Amino acid sequence: MMQALLINKDEAGYTARLGQIEEAQLPEGDVLIKVDYSTLNYKDSLAITGASPVVRSFPMVPGIDLAGTVVKSDHTDFKVGEKVVLNGFGVGEGHWGGLAQMARVKGDWLVPLPSAFTAKQAMTIGTAGYTAMLCVMALEQHGVTPEKGEILVTGAAGGVGSVAISLLAKLGYNVVASSGRAEETDYLLSLGATKVMDRNELTEKGRPLAKERWAGAVDVAGSHTLANICASMKYGGAVAACGLAQGYDLPATVMPFILRGVTLAGIDSVYRPKADRIAAWNRLAQDLDLTHLEAIMTEITLAQALETAQYQIDGLTRGRFVVNVNT
């Protein structure tokens, strides 16, 4: 028997609870993993609270991330005892995820844990940090270099934003953090942001073209925020869009793209090809300031994940929540 968070939907309604499961109940897969740490992502909190129809089958163990040790393997790429990381692929939505002490998954979904990280550090990074790295790589691929000017990061106090600021600052970029919480200013400056701006400056309908300011941006908001960012990009600038915290709409015009050559790069982390995943994790091992991880991370238990989910939905949390599934 092992501990797990279990989500169910039946005649009694939608429930999320801490319970016991057996190995035989785990879904099909060719690799069995002893989970060391998982995380509480925004998507996990949507699943736990039922605030959005994230879960596609019931019962479900949430947790889109996990880091642990292979204990059984029928996959040629992974051996017993190897440390691995999993992000995405519908795990925690359609396939039982990482918020349990064991997980059985497809080996094609796994990547080796870089030797630079412990399992706990890897989950401090998690899907949010891995997505942030994909965003930074996209900006680089579109020619955004430090000397070209300021980089805007929205949702700055969240998981993606926190890691993006740390990465960009270490790489020499001048980072402006956009946040709705003034009390997080010192935290954001400690990660390497040079300025902090109120997110409300970007959330209302703006002009089709605004004064050129940003050389690049990492956006988790969408909606009017993303439209206003595009409108105020410098000529040839690029925006990496990876979220919809404000909304999934994009009330913009084509003007920034056809008059300033702006690039809007969409970042998918869920089904990213394995080669891209490995490249991103290798870059994280090279470019992330590991001294920032303790400030970014809060460790919680499986039971506390249930309690924390609503706070995360309400935007009252900071950084990353690492779940020690064995406490």
Side-chain angles (χ1 to χ4, degrees), residues 42 219-227 242-251:
Y42 190 79
D219 178 57
V220 304
S223 193
H224 288 294
T225 296
L226 180 54
C242 64
L244 41 68
Q246 186 181 3
Y248 59 78
D249 59 319
L250 182 56

Side-chain angles (χ1 to χ4, degrees), residues 188-316:
L188 297 171
L189 294 175
S190 75
L191 295 179
T194 56
K195 298 176 186 176
V196 178
M197 64 180 287
D198 190 326
R199 71 180 177 199
N200 290 328
E201 295 182 39
L202 298 166
T203 56
E204 301 299 324
K205 182 179 179 180
R207 299 171 60 186
L209 277 181
K211 182 179 179 181
E212 294 183 46
R213 179 171 182 183
W214 315 113
V218 174
D219 178 57
V220 304
S223 193
H224 288 294
T225 296
L226 180 54
N228 288 327
I229 293 169
C230 292
S232 54
M233 295 299 295
K234 288 186 173 182
Y235 189 91
V239 184
C242 64
L244 41 68
Q246 186 181 3
Y248 59 78
D249 59 319
L250 182 56
T253 75
V254 299
M255 293 176 68
F257 310 108
I258 65 174
L259 297 180
R260 292 182 181 167
V262 170
T263 296
L264 178 56
I267 306 300
D268 165 60
S269 62
V270 178
Y271 295 106
R272 198 77 173 205
K274 191 168 186 175
D276 291 352
R277 292 169 178 269
I278 292 172
W281 276 100
N282 287 341
R283 282 290 306 275
L284 284 160
Q286 172 185 312
D287 295 326
L288 184 61
D289 187 340
L290 298 185
T291 64
H292 288 161
L293 291 184
E294 282 299 318
I296 291 172
M297 182 273 298
T298 300
E299 182 174 334
I300 59 176
T301 66
L302 277 173
Q304 289 172 323
L306 289 171
E307 304 164 5
T308 307
Q310 189 60 54
Y311 289 103
Q312 192 169 54
I313 294 297
D314 293 339
L316 301 175

Side-chain angles (χ1 to χ4, degrees), residues 127-128 130-139 141-142 160 217-219 239-243 264-272:
T127 287
Y130 147 69
T131 302
M133 187 73 252
L134 292 174
C135 290
V136 173
M137 292 166 68
L139 296 183
Q141 290 159 9
H142 287 93
V160 173
V218 174
D219 178 57
V239 184
C242 64
L264 178 56
I267 306 300
D268 165 60
S269 62
V270 178
Y271 295 106
R272 198 77 173 205

Side-chain angles (χ1 to χ4, degrees), residues 59-87:
M60 178 58 58
V61 174
I64 67 173
D65 289 332
L66 66 84
T69 306
V70 175
V71 294
K72 292 181 185 177
S73 177
D74 294 319
H75 194 284
T76 55
D77 289 350
F78 298 101
K79 297 180 174 62
V80 172
E82 189 168 357
K83 301 288 187 181
V84 292
V85 176
L86 187 149
N87 309 110

Side-chain angles (χ1 to χ4, degrees), residues 159-174:
V160 173
S162 295
V163 178
I165 291 168
S166 179
L167 285 166
L168 289 163
K170 187 176 178 182
L171 290 168
Y173 290 89
N174 181 359

